[in-house]
Amino acid sequence: MPSKKYDLVIANGRVIDPALGFGKEAHVFVKDGKIAKIEKESASITREMKSLSDEQFIDATGKLVVPGLIDIHVHLREPGREDEETVESGCRAAASGGFTSLCCMPNTTPCIDNQETVKFVQDRAKNADARVYVIGAITKGRLGVELSEIGDLVNMGAVGITDDGTYLQDAQVMRHALEYAKMFDIPVMQHAEDSQLCDGAIMNESYESTRLGLRGAPPVAEEIAVQRDISLCRLTGGRLHIQHISTRAGVDAVRRAKAEGINVTCEVTPHHLILTDDEIGKAFNTNLRVNPPIRSEADREAVVEGLIDGTIDCIASDHAPHSEEEKDCEFDKAPPGMIGLETSLGLIKTYIIDKGYLSWADAIAKMTVNPARILGLPGGTMAIDSPADIVIINPDKKWTVRADKFRSLSKNSPYIGWKLNARVEKTILGGRIVYEV
Ligand code: DOR
């Protein structure tokens, strides 16, 4: 009788695990929801050789086998806007994008600023298709005035804090947030856009915003916000994480701070790596309206440089679902945000890897081990005994982004109709297949 030594074997794939410095053909063995071993023998194995049933054996010849991706910037909209996304639908979207872990933002209704709301989201995520880690609000109601009970949030399982959607404008409150967060060894994640400079802004302040007559958010609003928080981080010895960085000056400030040894990390979205503000006037596609706004070509080039030289630690989608009714309006009336979980990997392959900016291994590091380290999350590697969170990628499969194929409840993507060059084949969460094409 065939022994059931393993629950799942993924054979003959190119295994890339940047955390292990591993990148070659190998077989991955899963037992009891964990990685049991990675066998490096070059000879291929077949189902028969290992006495495995069809379900237990995946032939990954020609495919990449990498740790489940981690997205540390996702809006799940629950509680409050279950018409736009739920924990369940967001996790289904994550699985089809190759993500097995995500961090959800607290700008829900009500806001995630206490233990009950953290627990509510965690409960919703119990049987979901991805692991959900909650980010709590820095301030009560995200109003920027009074700190949330940060210890309570952490005790309930929050892994970081942010007032994302708005900048925490009060420097004194931010200073205290960094001091408290330091006691619990969590980062303060900042949406770094000075609110006063960006008041009423619709797009990047540039020649284009003038031409279109739309109020602009100046890049200096990010520079000022990033620099102030780096100074407060230096002062407090806390940990600062800059969310969705988008400008040359912002990247330069982080680069200098890192060289000085300040504890700062940052993320970039695929849209800030790929899109520029001259797209807006072409069709006034409201899905191009995001905060921070898509910038000029010079800023786009600078974030790509920052990604390459390691100033930017990780890639995060800022998946921000909005309903069709809300987005089907004039550009300046639309709420900011675009969905991203289901297109991130394909975009990064097509516009970052295929252009020679990053190798597969470096791109995977920025979507696995690096975000895991920033927030102290389990996973991000296929080391022995790690959770068997794995994604199998067809690295050359061309596909077209289609609205009717999104698993997200919202369809607000500017990439509909785009052709991308890599596709998730299967996503495995704790040894269970949660997505396959
Ligand atoms: O574009 C954005 N949308 N930026 C944010 O910071 C918030 C997000 C949202 O919640 O829709």
Side-chain angles (χ1 to χ4, degrees):
M1 281 302 286
S3 70
K4 195 159 178 286
K5 213 168 159 206
Y6 300 106
D7 300 325
L8 186 67
V9 176
I10 304 164
N12 311 320
R14 190 174 138 219
V15 178
I16 302 178
D17 187 339
L20 299 175
F22 192 92
K24 59 179 108 152
E25 246 179 55
H27 317 307
V28 179
F29 296 78
V30 173
K31 175 80 180 161
D32 297 331
K34 294 187 174 156
I35 306 288
K37 68 171 174 172
I38 299 181
E39 207 168 75
K40 294 169 222 172
E41 69 188 24
S42 53
S44 73
I45 52 169
T46 61
R47 181 167 73 76
E48 290 73 26
M49 285 163 71
K50 292 280 170 184
S51 310
L52 296 160
S53 68
D54 273 351
E55 300 78 56
Q56 291 172 282
F57 183 86
I58 298 170
D59 184 1
T61 303
K63 311 283 158 50
L64 307 184
V65 179
V66 312
L69 307 179
I70 300 178
D71 190 336
I72 63 170
H73 196 139
V74 174
H75 297 269
L76 289 178
R77 301 289 189 238
E78 199 176 355
R81 287 306 302 261
E82 291 80 357
D83 59 319
E84 296 184 329
E85 199 75 288
T86 62
V87 174
E88 193 197 341
S89 67
C91 288
R92 274 169 51 76
S96 66
F99 294 93
T100 52
S101 294
L102 59 86
C103 292
C104 64
M105 294 296 119
N107 63 335
T108 48
T109 317
C111 157
I112 305 175
D113 61 0
N114 58 29
Q115 291 199 327
E116 288 69 32
T117 35
V118 174
K119 175 88 172 39
F120 174 85
V121 174
Q122 288 169 338
D123 285 349
R124 305 303 264 194
K126 271 196 181 123
N127 298 311
D129 288 345
R131 301 177 201 277
V132 174
Y133 299 95
V134 178
I135 308 294
I138 308 174
T139 62
K140 290 184 181 160
R142 293 175 47 256
L143 296 173
V145 179
E146 197 185 340
L147 283 184
S148 307
E149 297 296 343
I150 294 169
D152 281 2
L153 293 171
V154 174
N155 287 337
M156 193 48 86
V159 296
I161 47 173
T162 182
D163 276 358
D164 181 53
T166 40
Y167 179 55
L168 176 44
Q169 190 78 32
D170 187 316
Q172 177 75 318
V173 179
M174 183 60 180
R175 174 190 181 167
H176 288 147
L178 284 161
E179 286 166 348
Y180 271 99
K182 184 182 170 191
M183 297 198 292
F184 301 102
D185 196 25
I186 57 162
V188 180
M189 305 165 83
Q190 182 69 282
H191 178 129
E193 280 193 292
D194 183 280
S195 316
Q196 286 146 357
L197 283 167
C198 295
D199 190 28
I202 303 298
M203 64 176 289
N204 183 43
E205 183 178 293
S206 61
Y207 174 84
E208 274 304 296
S209 65
T210 310
R211 193 175 72 84
L212 300 173
L214 293 173
R215 199 176 173 97
V220 75
E222 179 172 286
E223 179 181 0
I224 288 172
V226 170
Q227 285 189 345
R228 183 203 77 176
D229 288 340
I230 285 170
S231 300
L232 291 172
C233 192
R234 182 195 294 111
L235 174 74
T236 58
R239 277 167 61 198
L240 172 68
H241 177 77
I242 303 293
Q243 302 180 289
H244 39 49
I245 203 158
S246 64
T247 63
R248 175 174 293 281
V251 173
D252 285 347
V254 171
R255 188 180 290 113
R256 285 193 301 271
K258 284 189 168 190
E260 196 190 319
I262 294 175
N263 224 334
V264 57
T265 52
C266 67
E267 68 188 34
V268 66
T269 67
H271 47 275
H272 291 113
L273 288 167
I274 294 166
L275 300 169
T276 51
D277 58 1
D278 53 7
E279 291 299 318
I280 291 170
K282 291 182 190 162
F284 290 100
N285 180 343
T286 56
N287 297 328
L288 292 170
R289 174 148 194 238
V290 277
N291 284 342
I294 50 174
R295 303 281 187 187
S296 65
E297 175 61 13
D299 281 323
R300 191 196 67 79
E301 282 169 10
V303 289
V304 171
E305 280 164 28
L307 188 73
I308 295 169
D309 75 11
T311 302
I312 297 175
D313 302 86
C314 66
I315 298 165
S317 70
D318 194 3
H319 178 82
H322 286 289
S323 67
E324 212 173 317
E325 300 79 66
E326 280 183 332
K327 281 286 198 181
D328 189 12
C329 59
E330 295 87 342
F331 194 84
D332 57 340
K333 302 279 189 316
M338 64 173 78
I339 56 169
L341 282 166
E342 297 175 74
T343 46
S344 282
L345 184 74
L347 288 167
I348 293 303
K349 165 65 168 39
T350 312
Y351 292 95
I352 297 297
I353 297 173
D354 286 352
K355 298 227 182 271
Y357 298 138
L358 289 184
S359 64
W360 263 112
D362 288 340
I364 294 300
K366 291 188 196 276
M367 299 175 88
T368 56
V369 60
N370 292 6
R373 282 189 185 144
I374 291 169
L375 287 157
L377 308 179
T381 175
M382 291 188 289
I384 308 303
D385 279 339
S386 307
D389 294 356
I390 303 164
V391 56
I392 302 174
I393 300 167
N394 187 336
D396 299 307
K397 176 79 183 165
K398 307 227 180 318
W399 61 289
T400 303
V401 180
R402 280 174 47 179
D404 62 333
K405 293 283 182 193
F406 282 134
R407 289 170 147 210
S408 172
L409 293 183
S410 295
K411 318 289 172 202
N412 54 308
S413 167
Y415 307 115
I416 292 163
W418 284 37
K419 291 194 172 39
L420 303 181
N421 298 344
R423 173 136 222 191
V424 173
E425 281 254 322
K426 280 187 177 45
T427 305
I428 296 158
L429 179 71
R432 179 172 65 99
I433 297 174
V434 286
Y435 172 79
E436 50 193 332
V437 270

